[in-house]
Amino acid sequence: MKPVWLFDLDNTLHNASPHIFPHINRSMTAYLMRHLALDEAAANRLRVDYWRRYGATLTGLMRHHGTNPHHFLHDTHQFPELHRMVVADAALSHLLRRLPGRKIVFSNGPRRYAEAVLDVLGVRHHFSDVCAVEQMRFHPKPDIRGFRHLLRQQRLQPARCILVEDSADNLRTARRLGMKTVWISRSLRRPAWVDVRLPSVLALARHPLRRGR
């Protein structure tokens, strides 16, 4: 039986660290300054604290401040020159074409942003769907509720799924549900809940997992 591939987006399918993540971080800090009446240092500390505690700044804002998630995501994900900010390898499309089975993007970002990045990468056609934070009902990874929303909406059996992801915490939730896990990382360690650790998503091309084993 062919697997169902669940791909994280940022720092998995493309490198968000050089340009996109710094831009989002600045935008989120500015949002907290405006809406919570904080200075820059305090806003930045709170942004990082919520990200570390909940896996997403948005979760902390919704839980503690009643922030409207749609307003927050729209405001903090504006990219007038996205095509100049996306860093990826030209071999990505070839890899995705060779992988057997259904492929879904599973991202904590908003859908509009995820779709735009996939268009810039030129790989949207390889994916049957995009499950963004709106489809998770604003329960982003590693919250198990977001995973369960995905499984129900897509009518998936966890045992058929392979999550490819740069966050070890998110992979831990996937393993709890019975998914296979691929960690995109150059770390020398490999947590017990990680089945495979690869330095790049492109390394899937040489791994037996790509044959559905």
Side-chain angles (χ1 to χ4, degrees):
M1 185 177 294
K2 291 181 179 180
V4 178
W5 298 89
L6 306 176
F7 282 93
D8 178 52
L9 179 63
D10 296 329
N11 280 358
T12 299
L13 292 178
H14 72 111
N15 185 356
S17 293
H19 309 298
I20 288 179
F21 277 171
H23 178 84
I24 291 175
N25 290 343
R26 289 191 297 269
S27 296
M28 288 186 177
T29 297
Y31 187 96
L32 269 61
M33 291 172 65
R34 291 195 304 274
H35 294 276
L36 301 181
L38 300 173
D39 63 29
E40 184 174 4
N44 193 57
R45 283 195 302 271
L46 188 62
R47 175 186 64 79
V48 173
D49 177 58
Y50 285 163
W51 173 71
R52 287 176 175 164
R53 286 166 62 186
Y54 302 114
T57 300
L58 173 59
T59 301
L61 289 173
M62 292 174 64
R63 184 170 298 186
H64 298 289
H65 307 279
T67 298
N68 181 308
H70 297 283
H71 184 266
F72 173 79
L73 292 169
H74 176 78
D75 193 280
T76 58
H77 287 73
Q78 298 292 327
F79 298 93
E81 296 191 326
L82 183 64
H83 63 286
R84 298 181 183 273
M85 304 174 76
V86 172
V87 178
D89 195 297
L92 178 62
S93 185
H94 180 65
L95 164 72
L96 293 171
R97 184 168 61 250
R98 293 173 62 193
L99 287 178
R102 188 176 172 198
K103 290 172 277 291
I104 299 169
V105 169
F106 185 28
S107 171
N108 278 354
R111 186 177 185 111
R112 182 174 61 90
Y113 161 75
E115 294 274 9
V117 170
L118 293 173
D119 286 343
V120 171
L121 293 171
V123 298
R124 178 62 180 89
H125 61 286
H126 292 298
F127 295 96
S128 63
D129 206 349
V130 173
C131 180
V133 72
E134 298 96 330
Q135 285 70 52
M136 297 181 228
R137 298 186 184 176
F138 303 105
H139 297 298
K141 300 174 288 184
D143 191 321
I144 200 167
R145 290 173 292 182
F147 283 77
R148 286 175 173 154
H149 284 309
L150 165 69
L151 293 170
R152 283 196 296 269
Q153 290 165 5
Q154 301 291 336
R155 299 181 180 179
L156 300 176
Q157 295 298 320
R160 287 189 59 199
C161 297
I162 303 172
L163 178 60
V164 184
E165 164 80 68
D166 70 298
S167 167
D169 287 342
N170 296 345
L171 293 171
R172 178 160 34 190
T173 304
R175 169 58 72 82
R176 284 177 59 195
L177 289 166
M179 299 180 185
K180 290 187 174 68
T181 57
V182 178
W183 190 26
I184 304 302
S185 173
R186 296 186 180 274
S187 172
L188 297 178
R189 67 183 180 91
R190 182 167 69 87
W193 59 88
V194 169
D195 292 307
V196 177
R197 177 178 50 80
L198 299 174
S200 163
V201 69
L202 298 180
L204 277 173
R206 301 184 299 276
H207 199 279
L209 270 174
R210 74 181 178 87
R211 296 190 286 275
R213 293 181 184 173

